Amino acid sequence: MTVSVIQFGGSNCDRDAVRALQDVEIDAERTWHEDGLPENPSGIVLPGGFSYGDYLRAGAMAGRAPIMEAVRDAANGGMPVLGICNGAQVGCETGLTPGAFTTNASARFQCEHVHLRVENADTPWTQAFEPGEVIELPIAHGEGRFEISEERLADLDREDRVLFRYCDADGNVTPESNPNGSTDAVAGVCGERESVAVLMPHPERATLPELGGTDGRAILRGFAE
């Protein structure tokens, strides 16, 4: 069984995702979106990049690609799906998860390491952590600000569907530790199933010590759980 990393025109983290999954001993291969999903994948990654050049808005065109109907069906059937950065934008555009991602409050592209507080440690993606644990992952985005209505955010909190919030090194959620102005500092959320998740930071860029950290390994290992 192999995780399919969906490649759109403009994807640029698909090879990174395949390599990172292989580093944690999970078989993975790239899947060109026009070829459709392969038969019986064990999971799906929507990788980072700039699908279709982020025309209209980030993730909008890829979210309407024909393959995404098959991805939705697979997700509804219980298959694990992880959207990362541009893949998170695609996931929201497709309705896999609630909310939307828009232009950073700084109106700038931001590439840096950030701290995240684990909000729900009872999902395949976070079960290696403790609630409230602080991890570190890199970000690289210009449209990473998570937006959602107050009412819908309250639903997510009540349903324990917020995976991560931006925080400082001590776990404090502050305006200064929120790199893009995301609503309530949300960095990652689950869909209706905990097996479906999107996050703006890049776990695939934090799997080897020489890359600056290994906190991303446990997230990617969610495909094996």
Side-chain angles (χ1 to χ4, degrees):
M1 302 294 284
T2 302
V3 172
S4 289
V5 178
I6 309 300
Q7 181 189 26
F8 298 99
S11 298
N12 66 12
C13 298
D14 42 294
R15 290 178 175 84
D16 295 359
V18 169
R19 173 62 185 271
L21 286 163
Q22 292 172 345
D23 285 341
V24 297
E25 299 182 342
I26 295 173
D27 288 334
E29 64 182 13
R30 289 186 298 152
T31 299
W32 179 242
H33 72 99
E34 291 183 344
D35 293 338
L37 280 182
E39 187 174 355
N40 297 323
S42 56
I44 297 168
V45 171
L46 302 173
F50 301 90
S51 57
Y52 296 97
D54 282 349
Y55 293 127
L56 299 182
R57 60 181 177 273
M61 295 179 71
R64 288 154 181 79
I67 194 173
M68 292 308 299
E69 183 175 350
V71 172
R72 279 194 299 269
D73 290 344
N76 290 336
M79 183 174 295
V81 178
L82 182 64
I84 302 169
C85 197
N86 185 238
Q89 297 159 344
V90 174
C92 283
E93 288 282 345
T94 309
L96 293 175
T97 55
F101 292 94
T102 188
T103 304
N104 296 344
S106 66
R108 298 177 179 177
F109 184 87
Q110 292 180 236
C111 183
E112 59 197 80
H113 279 246
V114 299
H115 292 99
L116 305 172
R117 189 176 71 192
V118 178
E119 302 292 275
N120 179 358
D122 192 26
T123 77
W125 318 106
T126 56
Q127 64 179 3
F129 306 119
E130 295 294 329
E133 184 173 347
V134 177
I135 66 173
E136 183 176 337
L137 295 178
I139 59 170
H141 58 249
E143 297 180 58
R145 177 162 55 99
F146 183 73
E147 289 285 351
I148 196 168
S149 68
E150 291 185 6
E151 180 181 4
R152 194 68 187 97
L153 177 62
D155 290 340
L156 292 185
D157 282 329
R158 186 179 62 256
E159 296 163 6
D160 209 13
R161 290 168 59 185
V162 177
L163 287 178
F164 304 104
R165 280 188 167 92
Y166 297 108
C167 66
D168 64 20
D170 295 319
N172 301 305
V173 175
T174 66
E176 294 75 20
S177 63
N178 186 343
N180 49 38
S182 288
T183 301
D184 205 27
V186 171
V189 297
C190 284
E192 293 184 2
R193 293 174 178 266
E194 292 180 342
S195 55
V196 178
V198 302
L199 70 159
M200 191 50 52
H202 286 267
E204 82 282 9
R205 297 184 184 180
T207 60
L208 300 171
E210 52 265 41
L211 296 179
T214 60
D215 286 340
R217 294 177 67 88
I219 297 172
L220 297 180
R221 287 291 300 170
F223 283 105
E225 304 300 335

